[in-house]
Every structure is written in C-alpha cells, then in structure tokens.
C-alpha cells in the first residue's frame, strides 16, 4: 500500500514539474502581447469593470497567434477601482506582460450646462457661460441607467422635467469613453470626461457637415457637477397646463377640465401638456420644476381609458414619486367625440 501511495506522489510531482516547465516554455516562447479592441475607459462610481470588445493578441516566436479573452483566468487586472471619482491607470497582466490602460470615474448626480459655444467656417466661437442658478439645462444621472432631464421652460422661468423613472426615453449608457444620455426619441447628448492638469471637464461636441461632407459648424457644451440639493420642497395644489386651445379646455367652478378624444388612453389628444409643480424653497438650483405628466403617472400606470365614454366627465389620479416626496393630484377630463377637438 505504501508503495502505491509513493508511486502516486511521484507521478503527481512529475506532472507538476512537467506542467510548470510547460508554462515556463510557453512564456519564454512568447514574442509579444498586444491589447486589441477597446476596454471601457469611462465609469460611474460603483460600476463593475467592462472589458468591451478587447482581447489580448499573443504572438509566439513560431509565428502562431492566440487570442485571449480578458475574462480568462490567465489574465489578471490590478489598480482598478470605482469607489470614488478619479483618473486611474489599470494594469492588465498576462504572464510576464503588463499593459496599462487609463480610465476615468464620474460621480452620479446632477450636471448642469455651464458653457456653450459654436464655431463655424465664417465665425469664431463665442462662449456663453451659465451658473448653476441660471443654466438652461441640466441632467441627473441615477445609478441604474435612468436619466432626468431638466430644460428651461415657459413657466415662471422654471424648468420642465422629463423623468426617466417614468419615461424610458430618458436614460443613459456608457460605451468606451463616452457617456450617452438619451433625452427623448432620437435626441441625445454624448459626454466625455477629460482630465488634464488635475482638472476635470465634462464635455459634449456636436458637428454639422455641409452637403460635401465638410464640417460647417461645431457646438461644444460643457457640464459642471452640482452637489445634491436640499429636500425642502413644496408643491402646488393645482395642475399646470400648456399649449391648451380654448376648445380643448373647460372650466367648472375653480377646476379645469381637459377634453380628450374617445378611445384615447393619454393626454396627446387633448392638444396640451400637463405638469405637476414642485418648488425647492430657498434652493437656487433648479428651484421651480414642472414635471411633465405621462401615462406612467396616471391611474397607477394604466393611463386614461376613454373607450366608449363619450360626454363622460371623469377624474384621473395623478401620482409622482421623486425628490424624496410623493405628490398626488386629480386630473379632471371630459371624453368627447373624435371630431370635437381641433
């Protein structure tokens, strides 16, 4: 029995030595290791590493080439962390080869437009600057790919809010070194984090070309982060309406009644937008916000069912949960035939 155990141990040792020799042989016969493709280089705090489409191209002295995935157990990554905002340099290690990759980490939260400039073939750029209190647009990046988009509106110098928690057209994603914020259908802002001389710039560029494919203008937008604002809020007891034609709105006492076409499930047939007003008291950043209502806020996400209810006056429950508060209000509507509203 002892001889059998001894024989097994000898075989195991020999196999281990043989494998180690094989590894050393492989390493010594590598001519080069290259990183091909693109590792994601922009992250938000708390994100996991994303290897993108990158691989290692291992070229041996014999001329043979092997492609190695970065999530292969033979590849090690060090010096990568997204615990805080930073500019870092990660190490991608394969055997005796180390490749260094720069990466940047952004915070989630608010970013407001602080400068915009446009340069054309006939005129130089003339930057227009904004402070946090008079900016014309801002973005809030949540931790789950949801974006909230604020834009200066017509209500008492306030801001219209399109909330991605209720409207999936407002979201963001990161690819490579670019943060793409979708602000509605077919509209987006592409932001890059630029770290130079220990300073950060969050910048978006859009280029317009002429019919010959040559650049005719370039608009640059710079965004500045803003610390989380206070939660001292107050709301208005009435809903706010915009773009309302007289024939699309009735008044019953102190209440406004919106006319909606029969068969419609949303407010689009009323020819108006409806908003919930939220004020942030003494806060001078996005102090007056008008949240645009959509179906996800109406009747628990069911919208308004007007099917076969002509000349019916109803009450829809509006609820908005945001900024740490919950706002509930009633929307009065009247169902009319399809030919009534212009």
């Amino acid at each position: 029995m002892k001889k059998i155990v001894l024989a097994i141990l000898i075989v195991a040792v020999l196999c281990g030595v043989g494998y180690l020799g094989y590894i050393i042989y492989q390493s010594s016969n590598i001519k080069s290791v290259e990183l091909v493709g693109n590792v994601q280089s922009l992250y938000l705090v708390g994100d996991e590493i994303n290897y993108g489409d990158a691989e290692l191209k291992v070229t041996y002295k014999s001329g043979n080439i092997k492609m190695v995935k970065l999530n292969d157990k033979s590849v090690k990554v060090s010096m990568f962390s997204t615990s805080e905002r930073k500019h870092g340099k990660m190490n991608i290690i394969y055997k005796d080869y180390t490749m260094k990759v720069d990466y940047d980490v952004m915070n989630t939260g608010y970013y407001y437009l602080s400068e915009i400039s446009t340069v054309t073939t006939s005129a130089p750029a003339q930057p227009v600057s904004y402070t946090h209190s008079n900016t014309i647009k801002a973005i809030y990046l949540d931790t789950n790919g949801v974006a909230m988009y604020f834009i200066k509106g017509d209500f008492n110098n306030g801001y219209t809010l399109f909330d991605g928690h209720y409207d999936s057209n407002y979201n963001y994603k990161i690819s490579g070194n670019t943060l793409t914020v979708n602000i509605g259908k077919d509209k987006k802002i592409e932001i890059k984090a630029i770290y130079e001389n220990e300073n950060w710039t969050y910048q978006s560029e859009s280029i317009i070309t002429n019919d010959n494919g040559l650049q005719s203008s370039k608009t640059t937008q710079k965004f500045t982060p803003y610390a989380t604002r206070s939660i001292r809020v107050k709301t208005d007891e009435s809903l706010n309406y915009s773009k309302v034609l007289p024939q699309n709105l009735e008044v019953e006492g102190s209440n406004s009644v919106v006319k909606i076409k029969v068969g419609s499930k949303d407010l689009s047939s009323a020819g108006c937008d409806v908003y919930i007003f939220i004020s942030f008291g003494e806060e001078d950043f996005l102090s007056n916000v008008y949240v645009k209502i959509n179906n996800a806020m109406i009747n628990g996400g069911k919208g308004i069912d007007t099917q076969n209810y002509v000349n019916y006056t109803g009450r829809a429950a509006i609820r908005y949960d945001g900024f740490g508060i919950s706002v509930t209000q009633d929307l009065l509507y009247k169902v009319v035939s399809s030919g009534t509203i212009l």
Side-chain angles (χ1 to χ4, degrees), residues 18-37:
Y19 180 73
L20 178 60
Y22 172 73
I23 294 298
I24 294 173
Y25 172 79
Q26 263 203 328
S27 299
S28 64
N29 279 276
I30 293 177
K31 180 180 179 181
S32 64
V33 178
E34 302 172 70
L35 182 66
V36 297

Side-chain angles (χ1 to χ4, degrees), residues 25-298:
Y25 172 79
Q26 263 203 328
S27 299
S28 64
N29 279 276
I30 293 177
K31 180 180 179 181
S32 64
V33 178
E34 302 172 70
L35 182 66
V36 297
N38 297 292
V39 178
Q40 182 174 309
S41 58
L42 179 61
Y43 296 87
L44 291 175
V45 169
D47 283 351
E48 299 289 335
I49 193 169
N50 186 334
Y51 297 122
D53 62 354
E55 294 180 291
L56 294 180
K57 179 182 178 182
V58 182
T59 303
Y60 292 92
K61 293 177 182 178
S62 64
N64 292 332
I65 294 175
K66 180 173 72 172
M67 303 303 295
V68 180
K69 299 287 187 182
L70 295 189
N71 60 359
D72 189 273
K73 63 181 180 180
S74 63
V75 180
K76 308 298 181 185
V77 176
S78 66
M79 303 300 292
F80 176 82
S81 172
T82 61
S83 60
E84 60 183 358
R85 187 184 76 161
K86 65 183 294 187
H87 173 76
K89 193 181 293 287
M90 73 178 87
N91 295 324
I92 298 176
I93 306 166
Y94 180 75
K95 300 190 185 301
D96 296 331
Y97 295 81
T98 300
M99 285 131 287
K100 296 183 180 294
V101 178
D102 289 292
Y103 69 98
D104 297 299
V105 182
M106 295 174 59
N107 286 321
T108 53
Y110 290 99
Y111 290 80
Y112 70 89
L113 179 68
S114 54
E115 182 181 293
I116 184 170
S117 63
T118 299
V119 59
T120 67
T121 54
S122 58
Q126 295 182 334
V128 177
S129 298
Y130 301 95
T131 66
H132 70 274
S133 60
N134 70 358
T135 186
I136 59 173
K137 69 174 69 172
I139 300 164
Y140 181 84
L141 304 175
D142 209 339
T143 55
N144 53 2
V146 169
M148 300 166 68
Y149 181 57
F150 302 80
I151 186 165
K152 185 68 75 72
D154 299 326
F155 291 113
N156 302 320
N157 206 32
Y159 295 85
T160 300
L161 167 59
F162 302 89
D163 193 335
H165 296 93
Y166 292 90
D167 188 338
S168 60
N169 290 309
Y170 295 84
N171 58 73
Y172 70 85
K173 62 181 179 179
I174 297 177
S175 178
N177 65 346
T178 303
L179 168 73
T180 299
V181 183
N182 294 302
I183 51 173
K185 292 182 179 179
D186 303 321
K187 295 182 180 180
K188 61 185 179 181
I189 301 174
E190 295 183 337
I191 299 174
K192 293 184 179 180
I194 302 171
Y195 184 77
E196 293 179 341
N197 301 321
E198 299 185 355
N199 292 314
W200 290 94
T201 302
Y202 302 98
Q203 185 169 297
S204 173
E205 293 183 350
S206 57
I207 296 174
I208 297 177
T209 58
N210 57 27
D211 294 339
N212 297 321
L214 300 176
Q215 178 179 318
S216 59
S217 68
K218 181 175 75 172
T219 298
T220 301
Q221 300 181 84
K222 294 182 179 180
F223 291 84
T224 298
Y226 186 83
T228 302
R229 55 173 152 169
S230 62
I231 303 297
R232 289 182 56 197
V233 297
K234 56 185 178 180
T235 61
D236 195 337
E237 294 182 356
S238 61
L239 296 173
N240 295 267
Y241 301 86
S242 72
K243 305 176 184 176
V244 184
L245 298 175
Q247 63 268 33
N248 294 355
L249 192 68
E250 290 184 356
V251 177
E252 294 185 1
S254 60
N255 298 316
S256 297
V257 181
V258 180
K259 294 180 181 179
I260 302 176
K261 289 182 180 179
V262 64
S264 174
K265 284 185 172 292
D266 56 35
L267 298 172
S268 61
S269 70
C272 67
D273 296 324
V274 184
Y275 303 86
I276 292 174
F277 172 66
I278 299 177
S279 173
F280 283 79
E282 301 303 321
E283 177 69 58
D284 62 350
F285 175 63
L286 305 179
S287 55
N288 296 314
V289 174
Y290 294 81
V291 184
K292 185 176 180 181
I293 294 173
N294 60 33
N295 279 358
M297 304 176 195
I298 302 175

